[in-house]
């Protein structure tokens, strides 16, 4: 699936992603500042997350709960030094929990990613629009 969109269309984009029934482990690729975290926040909202969401840049993972008591994990591995750090934080428990796992900077843990995952790539286009590809 490919979508050209502006940030004003994020709610619609998140709904389209969820409607595609992607794997619950989703990797987000794109340059810094392209809108990965912003999209993840909207996905959380669309999934029914209660309360505020924020980037886990310093904590590595944020855990959210939906109105139906489902858990959503948001990872940001930008500051991760190596895969051992991810293993030390129990990454396997998260990734194989059956809960939503949204992962930014997954290229830092290439050997730990489950075989069953989806990939969202976002790139910046002209006029402040984005191109999203879901595989």
């Amino acid at each position: 699936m490919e979508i050209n969109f502006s940030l004003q269309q994020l709610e619609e984009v998140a709904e389209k992603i969820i409607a595609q029934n992607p794997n619950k482990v989703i990797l987000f690729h794109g340059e810094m500042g392209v809108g990965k975290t912003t999209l993840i926040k909207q996905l959380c909202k669309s999934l029914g997350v209660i309360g505020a969401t924020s980037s886990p840049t310093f904590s590595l993972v944020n855990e959210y709960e939906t109105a139906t008591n489902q858990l959503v994990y948001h990872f940001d591995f930008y500051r991760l030094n190596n895969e051992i750090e991810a293993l030390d934080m129990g990454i396997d428990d998260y990734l194989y929990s059956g809960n939503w796992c949204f992962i930014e900077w997954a290229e830092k843990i290439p050997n730990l990613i489950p075989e069953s995952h989806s990939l969202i790539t976002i790139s910046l286009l002209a006029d402040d629009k984005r191109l999203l590809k879901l595989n």
Side-chain angles (χ1 to χ4, degrees):
M1 172 178 86
E2 286 191 16
I3 304 172
N4 284 324
F5 69 98
S6 67
L7 292 180
Q8 292 76 23
Q9 298 171 296
L10 270 181
E11 185 175 347
E12 177 185 334
V13 170
E15 294 295 332
K16 285 181 180 182
I17 291 168
I18 293 167
Q20 290 292 310
N21 197 27
N23 290 298
K24 285 199 168 181
V25 174
I26 303 178
L27 316 182
F28 291 78
H29 284 207
E31 293 180 25
M32 190 172 292
V34 78
K36 297 180 298 291
T37 300
T38 304
L39 176 59
I40 290 170
K41 287 179 180 183
Q42 183 60 54
L43 283 166
C44 288
K45 185 176 179 181
S46 294
L47 289 168
V49 166
I50 302 166
T53 57
S54 62
S55 176
T57 302
F58 295 100
S59 62
L60 297 181
V61 62
N62 285 345
E63 178 180 314
Y64 308 115
E65 189 172 342
T66 69
T68 58
N69 299 316
Q70 293 181 22
L71 294 176
V72 178
Y73 300 112
H74 177 190
F75 300 88
D76 184 336
F77 290 132
Y78 181 74
R79 297 193 184 283
L80 196 73
N81 292 312
N82 55 54
E83 290 181 333
I84 300 297
E85 288 182 15
L87 289 169
D88 287 346
M89 69 176 279
I91 189 71
D92 286 344
D93 292 336
Y94 292 106
L95 296 179
Y96 295 97
S97 67
N99 296 306
W100 289 100
C101 293
F102 300 142
I103 307 172
E104 297 182 65
W105 303 102
E107 54 270 29
K108 298 264 190 150
I109 59 163
N111 299 307
L112 304 178
I113 300 299
E115 195 171 309
S116 294
H117 67 273
S118 294
L119 172 64
I120 289 178
T121 304
I122 305 171
S123 50
L124 194 58
L125 301 173
D127 298 329
D128 213 26
K129 295 208 181 240
R130 271 83 172 154
L131 172 64
L132 179 143
K133 294 180 183 178
L134 171 64
N135 297 320

